[in-house]
Amino acid sequence: MKNTKTAAGLLLLPLLGMALFTTPSVAADRSGKEVVDTVCAACHATGKDGAPRIGDQAAWAQRASKGLDRLTQNAITGVRNMPAHGGQAALSDLEMTRAVAYMVSGGNATDTNKAFKPAKSRTGEQVVKERCQECHLSGKQGAPKLGDMNDWKPRLKNGVDPLVKSAIAGHNSMPARGGQANLSDAEMKAAVEYMVSKTGGAAEGK
């Protein structure tokens, strides 16, 4: 009986390993209204810390006059009293784009499926050296190590895109956007692709 239990335990080990290395499912991007109601309203409903209030079209028009792209960029990277991604690093750039458009339009904008992309962004190598290698160089807290295909292969079975979404939203001990909220989705994608390229693997799912 003891040998049978041991054998059963050994059979379970590969299954447990697969569970640990699979990429978690990531929720679909929320609408602009959902993001505003659950996140942005904390400051924009009352005008806290100088935030333009929801419904104050004059205040929003003044800010949008410099360009909606610039306003969205500020929302993603942070400006003055507003933290990057509204203090919620797991919010995608598409969600931020939708939320800004919703507030600027007074709730009349149709949700776009095209996320704002900054004109200038850091390369994958720059992001990895500035932030990601802190954990991925040594495999700290279970992070897949740079250059170790055995670490990355199980995570890449569905391609790169699910891995990028997981890196943006956070997973296990890794915080959303690696703990650096002002990184854009494009920069996160570039960083993941850079690390994958160091394994000799192809960046699938582009």
Side-chain angles (χ1 to χ4, degrees):
M1 180 65 74
K2 185 177 180 180
N3 289 338
T4 302
K5 288 183 177 179
T6 302
L10 290 172
L11 286 172
L12 283 172
L13 286 175
L15 295 176
L16 288 171
M18 287 177 67
L20 288 171
F21 286 113
T22 51
T23 302
S25 59
V26 179
D29 289 293
R30 288 171 287 180
S31 68
K33 184 180 187 310
E34 288 175 311
V35 175
V36 170
D37 288 347
T38 58
V39 179
C40 310
C43 293
H44 288 282
T46 61
K48 180 183 177 183
D49 294 329
R53 288 196 304 168
I54 295 169
D56 186 345
Q57 294 310 109
W60 284 106
Q62 181 183 4
R63 288 164 173 79
S65 66
K66 298 177 181 178
L68 194 59
D69 281 354
R70 181 172 176 180
L71 200 58
T72 307
Q73 170 83 47
N74 288 341
I76 289 172
T77 61
V79 61
R80 292 184 290 278
N81 293 317
M82 179 181 172
H85 285 92
Q88 298 290 326
L91 285 173
S92 71
D93 287 0
L94 178 57
E95 289 173 320
M96 294 299 295
T97 302
R98 289 174 173 177
V100 170
Y102 179 87
M103 289 189 286
V104 169
S105 69
N108 294 314
T110 300
D111 286 325
T112 180
N113 288 317
K114 186 176 181 180
F116 166 79
K117 290 187 179 180
K120 293 182 179 180
S121 60
R122 286 163 284 192
T123 66
E125 183 177 8
Q126 287 174 322
V127 175
V128 169
K129 288 183 176 179
E130 288 175 13
R131 181 62 183 169
C132 309
Q133 69 177 11
E134 182 179 325
C135 293
H136 289 281
L137 202 59
S138 63
K140 181 181 177 182
Q141 295 183 322
K145 289 194 291 185
L146 276 169
D148 190 334
M149 189 56 181
N150 290 328
D151 275 0
W152 287 91
K153 189 174 181 180
R155 294 166 166 86
L156 288 167
K157 68 176 186 176
N158 294 319
V160 168
D161 282 351
L163 199 57
V164 173
K165 289 182 179 179
S166 177
I168 289 170
H171 177 53
N172 292 337
S173 59
M174 177 183 170
R177 298 181 193 276
Q180 195 163 325
N182 66 353
L183 287 171
S184 69
D185 287 6
E187 289 171 326
M188 290 298 295
K189 182 178 177 68
V192 171
E193 289 181 341
Y194 174 81
M195 288 190 285
V196 169
S197 74
K198 292 303 177 182
T199 67
E204 302 172 10
K206 280 188 175 183

